[in-house]
Amino acid sequence: MSRDGHYGGTVNDSTVAVIVVAAGSGTRLGHPEPKALVPLGGDTILGVALDAVLGMREAPYVVVVAPAERVDEVRERCAPRAAAASVDLVVVAGGLTRQESVARGLAELPREIEVVLVHDAARPLAPSAVFDEVAAAVEARGHGIVPGLPVVDTVKRVDGEGHVLETVDRSELAVVQTPQGFPREVLESAYVAAGADFTDDAALAAAAGVPVDVVPGDARAFKVTVPSDLRRAAQELAERAASAAEPSAPRALPAHAPVPRVGTGIDVHAFDAADGTPLWLAGLEWPGERGLSGHSDGDAVAHAICDALLAAAGLGDIGGMFGTVDPRFSGAHGEVFLAETVRRLAAAGWRVGNVSVQVVGNRPKLAPRRAEAEALLTGLVGAPVSVAATTTDGLGFTGRGEGVTAIATALIVPASGRA
Ligand code: CTP
Ligand code: MG
C-alpha cells in the first residue's frame, strides 16, 4: 500500500496519477457547502467527478485535495468507491489558492508516478475518455497537454472604459479545460519555480518554459461556477442516466457476420415386444433394460441429434440420408449415424456449436449415466452435447411405457472460410 504516499508500490502499479482539486469554497456558486460537496444527481459534485476518474481505461493513483475542515468526511465518502474500483486514493487538505492545493496534492505522489493529471472537481461531467486521451498524449509527447475547445464567439479586446480596441483573431484562441496533464518531474519543477499565482497548471508550466499542447476537449467538461452551471450539470446528468437506462435498440447482425443456425430433431422408438433385444440409447448399452425396436439399434437420442443437425444445415433428415431399408445400417449403432452426419455438415461448411437433447420416457433412468452419455456424445459430435430426461407423469405412450421419445436442438455455425 502507498497510504504514506511515498514508499511502497501502488495497488495496481499505476504510473499515472490524477490530482482532483476540490478545496475551493465556491463563492460564486453561493451554496452553503463548499462547491465540491454540493449535491448533484443524488451524489456530490466531487462524487460525480471521481466516478469519471475511476472510469479511466487504466486505473490511476488518485489524490483528492479537499477543504481542510472536511478531509475526514471526504475520505470516508471517497475511499470505498476507490477501493471498489481497486484504485489507490489519498485525501489531503487543500490550501488558500488553487495553486497551493495542487502543490499539496503533488506532495502526495508516490515515487513511481510518471504522469500527473490535474483536474478541477468543479468539472464533474468531464468524460473518462478525456482523462485517457490526455494521459496518453503526455506519455506520447512528453509535453504538457491541455484539453481545449475552439472559441465560437467573436472576441474583442476592450479597454477599461468599455471601448473596443480590436477584434481578436479567434482562430488562434482556445478555451481550455481540465484534466491538464504533465510529465511528473516537469510539473513538480514548474511548481517549485512558480513565482506568481496562475489560474491553471498550463499557465504555470508555460511560465517555467514547459511546452504545452492543446488536444480536443469536450463540452461536457464545462466548469460549474455559478448556479445556472449547476442546473445544467444536473440536467445533463439526468439525461445521461436516462439514456443509460433505455434498452438499447435491437441491433441487426453486421452484414457479413456469420449467422448461426438452429435445428430441431425428434425421434420415437417403441420398446421391442420380444425379450432379449438389448437397449441402446444415447450411444450406450443399457444391460437389463428392454430394448427398442427399429431398423437400426433404435437409439432415439442419437437419431434425434442427427435430425437436429441435418435440419440446422438444411441437409434433409436421417431417413433421407441413410434410408430405412439400406442393409448397411441394419442394426447400426448411433455413433455410425452421428459420425456420418457430422462429416456431411463439415463438408457443407458447418461446425457444431452445441446440442441439447431431452429423453422423454419412464425407462431407462438416465440420471446415473448422464455424465457418461454426455461425454460419449460430446466426443462423437465434437461439440458439447447435454442430455436431459423427463417422464410424462404417466400420460401418453411414453407414460404407459410403450416407447421412448427424444427431442434434440442443435446450434451450428459456419466453419471459418465458409463462403
Ligand atoms: N480549488 C482548490 N483550492 C482552492 C481553490 C480552488 O482546490 N483554494 C479548486 C476548486 O475546488 C475547483 C477548482 O479548484 O475544483 C477550480 O476552482 P474554482 O472553479 O474557482 O472553484 P472555487 O474556488 O471553489 O469557486 P469560487 O472561485 O467561486 O470560490
Ligand atoms: Mg476560485
Side-chain angles (χ1 to χ4, degrees):
M1 270 304 278
S2 48
R3 189 102 222 162
D4 56 35
H6 298 278
Y7 302 107
T10 56
V11 159
N12 38 48
D13 293 329
S14 1
T15 54
V16 174
V18 181
I19 298 174
V20 182
V21 282
S25 55
T27 324
R28 288 167 288 176
L29 192 59
H31 193 280
E33 287 279 31
K35 184 155 76 183
L37 301 177
V38 168
L40 174 62
D43 199 339
T44 58
I45 290 182
L46 172 61
V48 175
L50 183 62
D51 275 349
V53 175
L54 298 180
M56 285 174 73
R57 221 171 19 227
E58 283 174 35
Y61 184 90
V62 180
V63 181
V64 174
V65 186
E69 63 291 355
R70 308 293 285 270
V71 168
D72 291 341
E73 176 192 335
V74 168
R75 187 177 293 130
E76 268 164 41
R77 282 171 186 251
C78 297
R81 294 160 83 143
S86 296
V87 162
D88 257 323
L89 178 139
V90 293
V91 181
V92 291
L96 290 179
T97 61
R98 183 185 183 282
Q99 193 163 317
E100 207 179 304
S101 293
V102 175
R104 294 198 181 184
L106 278 173
E108 294 299 316
L109 298 182
R111 209 176 23 204
E112 56 274 26
I113 296 302
E114 290 163 11
V115 170
V116 182
L117 270 51
V118 182
H119 182 55
D120 293 335
R123 300 179 188 273
L125 298 184
S128 305
V130 175
F131 291 80
D132 292 330
E133 282 155 22
V134 169
V138 175
E139 273 160 2
R141 304 187 206 176
H143 291 181
I145 300 290
V146 301
L149 293 175
V151 173
V152 290
D153 294 317
T154 298
V155 180
K156 309 284 188 196
R157 190 181 307 282
V158 183
D159 71 10
E161 276 97 53
H163 303 304
V164 171
L165 301 175
E166 61 167 335
T167 299
V168 182
D169 178 5
R170 71 177 178 212
S171 68
E172 289 188 343
L173 300 179
V175 177
V176 302
Q177 310 173 318
T178 72
Q180 301 188 351
F182 306 86
R184 185 245 183 100
E185 274 158 27
V186 163
L187 188 63
E188 280 178 342
S189 312
Y191 263 84
V192 170
D197 196 45
F198 296 92
T199 53
D200 77 347
D201 307 286
L204 181 146
V210 176
V212 179
D213 300 347
V214 176
V215 296
D218 192 299
R220 291 166 290 184
F222 69 93
K223 185 154 74 82
V224 174
T225 305
V226 295
S228 61
D229 298 325
L230 186 61
R231 286 194 291 276
R232 174 181 168 195
Q235 190 177 341
E236 290 192 14
L237 200 58
E239 283 166 16
R240 193 204 274 182
S243 73
E246 260 173 35
S248 49
R251 265 180 291 165
L253 279 170
H256 300 292
V259 181
R261 293 178 57 161
V262 293
T264 304
I266 298 185
D267 195 31
V268 176
H269 280 277
F271 284 116
D272 205 331
D275 287 335
T277 308
L279 174 65
W280 284 87
L281 196 66
L284 301 173
E285 188 176 6
W286 299 75
E289 296 281 349
R290 181 173 289 280
L292 293 163
S293 65
H295 172 64
S296 63
D297 67 354
D299 186 340
V301 169
H303 301 168
I305 294 174
C306 291
D307 265 353
L309 291 167
L310 294 170
L315 293 174
D317 58 30
I318 189 170
M321 180 166 285
F322 298 103
T324 47
V325 291
D326 190 329
R328 283 177 303 156
F329 301 115
S330 167
H333 290 312
E335 60 194 64
V336 174
F337 300 101
L338 281 168
E340 179 61 12
T341 299
V342 170
R343 194 192 66 72
R344 297 226 187 162
L345 255 72
W350 297 101
R351 167 171 85 71
V352 182
N354 78 301
V355 177
S356 164
V357 59
Q358 184 155 38
V359 181
V360 186
N362 299 343
R363 297 203 63 85
K365 290 292 168 223
L366 223 112
R369 299 184 72 189
R370 181 208 306 275
E372 200 185 336
E374 288 182 339
L376 179 82
L377 294 168
T378 296
L380 290 170
V381 171
V385 177
S386 49
V387 181
T390 185
T391 65
T392 50
D393 228 1
L395 298 175
F397 70 89
T398 50
R400 293 189 297 273
E402 294 168 8
V404 167
T405 298
I407 303 173
T409 304
L411 178 87
I412 62 172
V413 291
S416 55
R418 184 175 200 271

